[in-house]
Amino acid sequence: MKRILIGALIVAIQGCANKPEVAVQVSPQACVGSTEITGELGNQFLLVQDPDLLSQAIGEPLKGRLCQGAVYQSTHEVTVYRAWNSTNPRSQLGQWWSFQLPTGSTAKYRENYEICYQWSPLDKLVKCTLKPGTKVVVGNGQSAQCSEYLSYPVSKTQQVFIPNASDVVQNCEGFESIISWK
């Protein structure tokens, strides 16, 4: 009996020693916040399945984009906002939007939306109407590494990913950034 037990133990140990390693991707920081659209705005969207669209919006840790998201289709016209880079006019109708009018400091806005200074000076704002029937991804920001000295953690602030904004927004109105010190 002793020999059988020792033999079984040796086989078990060898099996563990020869077991190939399994690669496990561990995020440096778990996603926070919710992908659910709440309040009155939630009544203007339907949750839908579109894995391809969702995969376009999700990013790797420290690379920006979304940490988590859900795909929705608008059922009504919805107001969306985008802070953008005036030195690149094509960025006016880029992919990253918000349901909320930006307020507060630029630094806090950058942190909430993980926008590195290299990506945009955030010196213009456009307010548009999203057309009914449009699919978007709503989610929370992924961490972003801007430089050796600056990185942003994941954020609970909801962002809106609109891959083809030039085709699905209308009635756009532009605004200029104004320096205001407090």
Side-chain angles (χ1 to χ4, degrees):
M1 183 67 157
K2 203 179 211 183
R3 284 186 180 162
I4 294 173
L5 185 58
I6 291 173
L9 185 58
I10 290 172
V11 169
I13 291 172
Q14 285 179 339
C16 290
N18 295 331
K19 184 178 177 183
E21 289 187 32
V22 177
V24 177
Q25 184 177 3
V26 178
S27 175
Q29 201 171 10
C31 299
V32 295
S34 171
T35 61
E36 182 182 358
I37 302 174
T38 59
E40 185 61 36
L41 194 57
N43 296 331
Q44 299 176 12
F45 287 91
L46 294 174
L47 184 62
V48 296
Q49 295 298 313
D50 191 332
D52 292 334
L53 179 56
L54 180 60
S55 70
Q56 290 177 48
I58 302 296
E60 297 177 25
L62 301 177
K63 303 285 184 184
R65 306 186 80 71
L66 296 181
C67 186
Q68 63 183 350
V71 180
Y72 291 90
Q73 187 167 12
S74 61
T75 57
H76 296 79
E77 291 185 345
V78 175
T79 301
V80 289
Y81 301 89
R82 175 174 166 75
W84 61 284
N85 176 1
S86 67
T87 63
N88 180 3
R90 294 183 329 154
S91 74
Q92 178 177 354
L93 298 179
Q95 298 177 327
W96 299 100
W97 296 74
S98 172
F99 293 131
Q100 310 301 319
L101 174 67
T103 60
S105 74
T106 303
K108 190 64 176 171
Y109 185 81
R110 284 186 186 286
E111 180 182 346
N112 288 341
Y113 289 89
E114 295 88 10
I115 302 171
C116 295
Y117 58 89
Q118 303 95 316
W119 300 344
S120 176
L122 302 176
D123 60 340
K124 293 271 194 169
L125 177 73
V126 66
K127 172 185 172 185
C128 300
T129 303
L130 186 66
K131 296 177 183 177
T134 301
K135 285 185 184 178
V136 300
V137 180
V138 175
N140 313 104
Q142 178 59 276
S143 57
Q145 179 77 42
C146 301
S147 72
E148 177 182 355
Y149 307 104
L150 177 64
S151 63
Y152 296 116
V154 296
S155 173
K156 66 179 181 180
T157 303
Q158 283 190 339
Q159 300 180 34
V160 183
F161 177 74
I162 306 173
N164 54 341
S166 61
D167 297 331
V168 298
V169 297
Q170 59 191 4
N171 306 322
C172 295
E173 182 180 358
F175 301 90
E176 297 283 333
S177 175
I178 305 294
I179 296 176
S180 176
W181 302 100
K182 291 185 179 189

